[in-house]
């Protein structure tokens, strides 16, 4: 498995996902501004990975600090604010920043600056290790749920699964959230073929998920985002599973733009649709999906395809990066603690 992100000798290492799969470009930086830029430009991306990157970016900032202990609080506050402003939707970023702030709040008074920094470094590594472990737990819960829900089909044949965007190692550090479930399901002989929706405009499905599946030798086929309903009509999809960037208290889930259209089609065809996401993706402070901040990205991402202009530069464009799938369309939310089905308000609250 590739190392999508790591932190060694005060240096952040990551694979620049913008160039995949055609180029494997590894970057090493000690500059926290460069790391923030990597989050903004999607060189590093995917909700759990954004959280890990945020924690390490805070460490890069801290390591660049050369003032006195008295000067540190205001430096730290503006550093965290800068990191938090990089991308708005994936709550894992804010969750990771909050964990770093907690270590600061609890230790600043008592510790020397060196001891404080060492504790924060430990916290960042722990956030990373937790996300890796979360993937294994989610995969197990997800496969167990699929075995229950799709037992009838599994008596006679294997399953065809639809997924959207990239939720694998590149997005989560470990085996992945939705892709982790798919990987384990395939290892256990449940999967016939994975159908990866391309995920316009930045093609995380076509470029990144396909790349990860190819490396694992898992059978897959890529489709345009608009093909999924047609494949369902033809009986070519048995269920769908994706990740999430933020899940509200009632289970409404934000994920890569295009997800909601797949979910509506799956619901129409009476096929189960799952969200797989660690508890760090649940935002229990917001009651429903209308409160999830949705990132709007640069119009040129749509007007161009990898640098080639495909529409006039003045074409008006709406480029929302995420949409929100209402919880009634979701059969189950697979977390690292358990698979929540049924009453999401109660089920998700019980996890927190
Ligand atoms: O804009 P991106 O590539 O960061 O969006 C990523 C997604 O939408 C993923 O599906 C989501 O983060 C879940 S990854 C476990």
């Amino acid at each position: 498995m590739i190392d999508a992100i790591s932190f060694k000798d005060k240096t952040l290492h990551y694979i620049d996902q913008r160039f995949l799969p055609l180029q494997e470009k590894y970057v090493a930086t000690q500059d926290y501004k460069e790391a923030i830029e990597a989050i903004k430009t999607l060189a590093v991306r995917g909700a759990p990975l954004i959280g890990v990157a945020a924690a390490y970016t805070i460490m890069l900032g801290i390591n660049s600090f050369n003032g006195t202990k008295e000067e540190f609080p205001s430096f730290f506050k503006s550093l965290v604010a800068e990191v938090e402003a990089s991308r708005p939707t994936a709550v894992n970023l804010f969750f990771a920043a909050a964990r770093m702030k907690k270590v600061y709040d609890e230790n600043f008074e008592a510790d020397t600056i060196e001891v404080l920094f060492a504790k924060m470094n430990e916290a960042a590594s722990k956030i990373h290790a937790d996300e890796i472990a979360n993937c294994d737990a989610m995969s197990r819960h997800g496969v167990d749920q699929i075995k229950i829900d799709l037992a009838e089909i599994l008596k006679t044949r294997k399953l065809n699964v639809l997924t959207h965007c990239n939720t694998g190692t590149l997005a989560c550090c470990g085996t992945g959230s939705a892709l982790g479930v798919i990987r384990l399901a395939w290892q256990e002989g449940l999967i016939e073929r994975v159908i990866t929706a391309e995920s316009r405009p930045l093609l995380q499905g076509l470029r990144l998920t396909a790349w990860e599946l190819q490396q694992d030798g898992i059978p897959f086929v890529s489709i345009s985002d608009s093909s999924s309903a047609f494949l369902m009509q033809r009986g070519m999809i048995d269920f769908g599973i994706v990740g999430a960037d933020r899940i509200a208290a009632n289970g409404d889930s934000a994920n890569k733009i295009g997800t909601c259209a797949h979910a509506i089609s799956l619901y129409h065809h009476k096929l189960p649709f799952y969200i797989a996401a660690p508890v760090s993706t649940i935002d229990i402070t917001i009651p429903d999906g209308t409160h999830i901040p949705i990132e709007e990205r640069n119009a040129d991402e749509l007007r161009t395809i990898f640098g080639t202009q495909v529409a006039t530069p003045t074409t008006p464009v709406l480029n929302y990066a995420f949409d929100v799938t209402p919880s009634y369309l979701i059969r189950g939310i697979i977390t690292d603690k358990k698979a929540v089905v049924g009453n999401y308000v109660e089920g998700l609250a019980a996890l927190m």
Side-chain angles (χ1 to χ4, degrees):
M1 208 189 302
I2 55 126
D3 230 354
I5 198 163
S6 63
F7 193 72
K8 283 182 210 103
D9 303 326
K10 299 188 175 177
T11 306
L12 179 69
H13 301 263
Y14 62 87
I15 186 162
D16 190 329
Q17 300 190 26
R18 293 171 300 173
F19 299 97
L20 287 171
L22 303 181
Q23 226 184 308
E24 286 182 37
K25 189 176 163 197
Y26 289 89
V27 179
T29 183
Q30 293 191 333
D31 179 352
Y32 83 92
K33 299 242 181 221
E34 198 178 322
I36 288 175
E37 208 47 33
I39 297 172
K40 283 184 181 168
T41 58
L42 273 63
V44 295
R45 48 146 300 281
L49 196 97
I50 290 172
V52 174
Y56 286 145
T57 302
I58 290 172
M59 276 322 298
L60 289 181
I62 287 174
N63 291 335
S64 73
F65 175 74
N66 56 11
T68 63
K69 187 170 175 184
E70 289 66 41
E71 288 164 344
F72 184 68
S74 70
F75 171 84
F76 181 65
K77 203 169 157 213
S78 63
L79 168 67
V80 171
E82 220 180 318
V83 173
E84 286 181 332
S86 56
R87 287 194 81 188
T89 303
V91 77
N92 310 59
L93 186 152
F94 303 92
F95 182 83
R99 275 177 74 171
M100 298 298 281
K101 277 191 271 190
K102 188 162 184 278
V103 177
Y104 162 82
D105 287 339
E106 288 174 355
N107 298 286
F108 178 73
E109 290 300 334
D111 287 341
T112 63
I113 208 98
E114 290 76 18
V115 172
L116 176 69
F117 288 7
K119 284 182 181 168
M120 294 183 84
N121 195 39
E122 229 171 84
S125 301
K126 178 83 171 72
I127 289 168
H128 190 174
D130 285 352
E131 291 299 3
I132 294 172
N134 287 342
C135 292
D136 295 334
M138 266 184 286
S139 303
R140 185 68 267 152
H141 296 314
V143 171
D144 291 346
Q145 190 63 41
I146 288 162
K147 280 181 179 165
I148 296 168
D149 291 345
L150 295 154
E152 268 315 300
I153 303 179
L154 283 168
K155 281 181 190 162
T156 56
R157 62 170 177 84
K158 296 181 183 183
L159 304 167
N160 294 291
V161 53
L162 171 71
T163 192
H164 190 73
C165 197
N166 171 263
T167 60
T169 306
L170 292 166
C172 302
C173 312
T175 58
S177 54
L179 204 59
V181 175
I182 291 171
R183 279 189 162 112
L184 186 62
W186 182 75
Q187 282 161 17
E188 297 195 0
L190 310 184
I191 300 295
E192 178 71 37
R193 184 166 71 166
V194 185
I195 293 140
T196 64
E198 59 172 348
S199 317
R200 274 280 285 154
L202 297 182
L203 305 175
Q204 290 92 328
L206 182 71
R207 296 186 302 111
L208 308 178
T209 301
W211 186 66
E212 289 199 40
L213 291 169
Q214 234 154 14
Q215 288 193 331
D216 281 11
I218 300 176
F220 74 95
V221 65
S222 290
I223 59 167
S224 61
D225 296 327
S226 44
S227 310
S228 66
F230 175 67
L231 266 64
M232 290 172 212
Q233 276 179 344
R234 294 261 160 131
M236 294 165 76
I237 291 172
D238 297 304
F239 74 102
I241 185 165
V242 302
D245 289 81
R246 197 183 288 228
I247 300 172
N250 72 342
D252 292 351
S253 298
N255 190 52
K256 181 55 53 198
I257 193 83
T259 299
C260 185
H262 298 311
I264 292 168
S265 298
L266 286 159
Y267 190 79
H268 175 80
H269 290 93
K270 301 188 171 47
L271 301 170
F273 172 63
Y274 303 93
I275 296 285
V279 171
S280 56
T281 303
I282 300 169
D283 185 353
I284 211 75
T285 67
I286 53 171
D288 60 55
T290 59
H291 299 265
I292 300 177
I294 299 295
E295 179 179 13
E296 242 188 297
R297 295 186 60 84
N298 193 307
D300 282 335
E301 284 184 354
L302 210 63
R303 291 191 290 231
T304 61
I305 297 183
F306 288 87
T308 302
Q309 195 78 35
V310 290
T312 64
T314 53
T315 302
V317 154
L318 286 177
N319 186 19
Y320 291 106
F322 302 97
D323 60 24
V324 179
T325 299
S327 59
Y328 75 91
L329 298 175
I330 302 168
R331 161 68 191 150
I333 298 180
I334 317 291
T335 76
D336 45 297
K337 291 196 178 156
K338 63 182 286 206
V340 180
V341 288
N343 185 332
Y344 291 122
V345 175
E346 280 175 18
L348 296 179
L351 299 179
M352 306 311 288

